[in-house]
Amino acid sequence: MRWLLLGFLTLSSASLLDLAQEEWSYLQDTCDYKGTPLRDIAIRIDWDFQLKPGILAWARYTRVYRNNLWVPSVLTETRPDVDVEIGVSPRYQWDWGCEQDGRALRTTLLHELLHAAGISSSITATSVGYGPYCTLTLMDHHMHLQDGSKALQECHLPAGNIYVGGVKLYMGREFRAGVSLNHHDGIGVIGTSPPYQCQELGLNEVKMLESMGFNCVHAFLGSGATRSPSWGL
């Protein structure tokens, strides 16, 4: 087990797991998927002492093939040994509560879990989809152009802005693997700016999720969704 000193507190990998599970519980309380509650998931998480400067965290997640798409395992009955694996950089001053004293660890974990829940793309600088048939991810399938027409057809990414649920995706001046088209272009949990405060799902995240089949009715109602008191919101 690895430990990291945060101010006067020492945070172990086991404590990281507790925080990640709390953030997933928040998503469970806030959203369902096609009328079905989000199930408990298997998370593996640890400090990654090999991460380069500039990277806060990363996530790997299991996908399963459903209806000609690669769908996150967390949205299916399939139960792999690990649904999502997360590595967190020890280089930064992390605020593990909500004191705005460093980068918000909880929001970073929620960010990575949203990728695992489906806000993730197969698109690279040179390819669309996986394999010879360009099999898309769930989010790829729901990408559209400004006029509402499908963005991805026949393994081709058209020029111009790409949207999911009416939310413009971040592209950047140059394509960055794992960043471009994997985040929206605004402010929020799944934006590209480092989080310096605790955040819940915002309108951009909800629009993207609901376009893919989620129902996040509790996101703005102030009921149903629960948070650890340490969020301080």
Side-chain angles (χ1 to χ4, degrees):
M1 181 182 298
R2 296 184 179 184
W3 299 77
L4 184 70
L5 186 65
L6 300 178
F8 297 105
L9 298 172
T10 303
L11 196 66
S12 68
S13 53
S15 297
L16 273 181
L17 178 59
D18 289 340
L19 292 178
Q21 292 286 10
E22 287 178 13
E23 293 312 301
W24 184 254
S25 294
Y26 162 68
L27 287 178
Q28 288 178 302
D29 290 339
T30 305
C31 304
D32 63 54
Y33 180 67
K34 294 186 174 180
T36 301
L38 298 177
R39 65 170 175 81
D40 294 340
I41 64 172
I43 301 173
R44 179 183 294 161
I45 186 170
D46 205 345
W47 299 108
D48 185 348
F49 289 83
Q50 304 304 314
L51 269 180
K52 296 179 180 179
I55 301 176
L56 299 183
W58 56 263
R60 283 194 291 259
Y61 20 90
T62 302
R63 295 189 179 101
V64 296
Y65 190 68
R66 291 286 189 277
N67 299 319
N68 299 317
L69 295 174
W70 287 110
V71 178
S73 63
V74 301
L75 304 182
T76 74
E77 73 285 356
T78 301
R79 291 181 176 266
D81 291 338
V82 178
D83 288 296
V84 55
E85 182 177 7
I86 301 173
V88 182
S89 175
R91 293 177 178 269
Y92 299 97
Q93 178 179 340
W94 288 107
D95 174 10
W96 68 275
C98 284
E99 306 302 324
Q100 300 186 17
D101 182 24
R103 290 167 172 82
L105 179 56
R106 288 177 174 272
T107 304
T108 300
L109 297 180
L110 179 58
H111 176 113
E112 300 302 338
L113 290 169
L114 285 171
H115 286 315
I119 299 182
S120 60
S121 174
S122 67
I123 299 171
T124 70
T126 58
S127 66
V128 174
Y130 296 115
Y133 301 106
C134 305
T135 306
L136 303 178
T137 68
L138 179 65
M139 190 174 83
D140 291 339
H141 178 68
H142 290 278
M143 289 181 178
H144 63 86
L145 303 179
Q146 190 170 14
D147 63 5
S149 61
K150 282 281 188 182
L152 303 180
Q153 298 181 13
E154 299 180 353
C155 307
H156 174 67
L157 177 67
N161 293 325
I162 305 295
Y163 300 78
V164 173
V167 178
K168 188 172 79 169
L169 300 183
Y170 173 84
M171 177 63 80
R173 294 182 180 179
E174 296 182 356
F175 193 95
R176 296 167 58 196
V179 179
S180 299
L181 299 180
N182 282 274
H183 303 83
H184 62 62
D185 203 27
I187 297 173
V189 175
I190 209 71
T192 57
S193 299
Y196 288 98
Q197 61 183 10
C198 290
Q199 299 178 49
E200 298 181 336
L201 294 183
L203 184 59
N204 287 330
E205 287 79 31
V206 169
K207 284 182 174 180
M208 294 175 71
L209 290 170
E210 294 199 337
S211 75
M212 295 188 287
F214 289 79
N215 175 22
C216 299
V217 66
H218 293 302
F220 308 116
L221 293 181
S223 62
T226 56
R227 259 313 207 272
S228 166
S230 58
W231 273 83
L233 294 175

